[in-house]
Amino acid sequence: MPALTRRSLLAGAAATAALSTLGAPRVLAAPRNPVPLTREEHRVVIIGSGFGGGVTALRFAQAGVPSLVLERGLRWPTGPNAETFPHPTSPDKRLFWLGSAPSLFGIVPLGFEPYTGLLERVGGNGMNILCAAGVGGGSLLYQGMTLQPSEEVFNANLPEQLDYARMDRVYYPRVARMLRLETAPDELVDSKTYLPSRVFARNVQRAGYALEKVPMPIDWSYALRELNGEMKPSYTNGDCAFGVNNGGKHSVDVTYLAAAEATGLATVATLHNVTDVALGKDGRWRVFADRIATDGTVLEQKIITTRALVMAAGTAGTTRLLMRAAAKELIPDLPDGLGTNWGSNGDRIYFWTDFAEDFGMPQGGPVVYCSKEWDDPALANTVIQASIPPLPDIRSTMLVGYGVSQGRGRFVYDSTKDDAVLHWPADGDTRLYRRIQERVSTIAGPFSTLLDTTAVYPSTWHPLGGASMGIVCDLAGRVKGHRGLYVLDGALMPGNTAACNPSMTIAAVAERATDELLAQDAGVVF
């Protein structure tokens, strides 16, 4: 076994935070010949199975509207002592979407065979986007921080016509119930491996900042059972950055989608990679999809026809498909603002090394506490501490900040690639970044060093916008001027989600939208 060095340890820990280096965008393997072409018709087609797609599938099914959900990735079933997800300290082909492993901080890359893994890096000019693949979308990999914005910050950054009072009364609670939110119990937080959480809490309070526990879509009894030796560690040793093998995480696949499929009216088709969308001469939508093997080989080409098409492929997936359709005139007269109003949610990820405090190893995860600074709606931000994978003790942990993102990028279609590429300004979100830097520096203290991984490798886990409400769509996700075409994912957001990580607001807006669509569009379009 090679000797461990600080350099290699930094690379292993940073894999949970600086994954903007995850290789090139996927390249599908050459199709076998001949590849059969089949045609299907469905009442509703939903592209993507993350928060937007999961909410839509369930609410439509409960209303008696059948749908086909197209997911490019795999199912990732978990359970006690499972080995479903890759481990951060020993990544393998399961981590990467049809690409090769990256180099991190100059470490020589490892080669993996192409596989329909969990993560795709979508490269941009000035900023990279990290996208999930698999049934459940980003909920498979997100840490799980499920935060609801305050009314003041919400109304300053999202359209007031969404009606915060109703969102607060109906839709945010609906999401909270579906995800079965809980904060970490004190019994767990007081245990040995959650020392970094306690140090963060102490330092936040010493600095005079607000502190509270984060609602998480987690059954924390699983972590307590790990402490009791009933399961091998997954939560309690921080080995959960790329999915929780033991289960207990209420991701979209085991909540919204499981409930949708149980009705018999929602069908999830895995390993279906959508390549184009188009409007037919008969006014119906065409979805062109490749059914692929796990190495990317095209096994079957499909043309799927529907009267109602819901784009829920994530910010990058939805925006790029629509921009490709516009550029190739597959869908005429798409709104001029398509591809604009893109924001990073202000993501900033730090590697925190403290020479006065030994955080210990392993570290319990994924997240326990947050510190909100939401008094100024224009600069509202949130800081959290997150565990690093189980490594030898290097006196380090992670700090993460995000907030109201004022910087805006745009996608530009590149005909040589037949793809839309993100362009992000070099000074995007500088004011927010400076405030987050001030806060994390104060929290870390004078005997610490902070490695800003986002400055080294500009990237975001929380891409937002590209087909924004008010510009491309209305508040229910209807694409302007196009009957039966909807956007219900992060692309619909106006560049930020009001100082919160996006999952809860994306889901709540989708809940609101599906209520409206079922009331107003079902008899006409569906």
Side-chain angles (χ1 to χ4, degrees), residues 58 61-62 178 252-264:
L58 175 58
Q62 289 177 331
M178 283 298 302
V252 170
D253 54 324
V254 297
T255 54
Y256 281 101
L257 285 172
E261 290 180 287
T263 67

Side-chain angles (χ1 to χ4, degrees), residues 444-466:
F447 302 105
S448 297
T449 62
L450 291 168
L451 173 62
D452 184 346
T453 67
T454 311
V456 177
Y457 298 111
S459 62
T460 180
W461 292 84
H462 299 143
L464 296 165

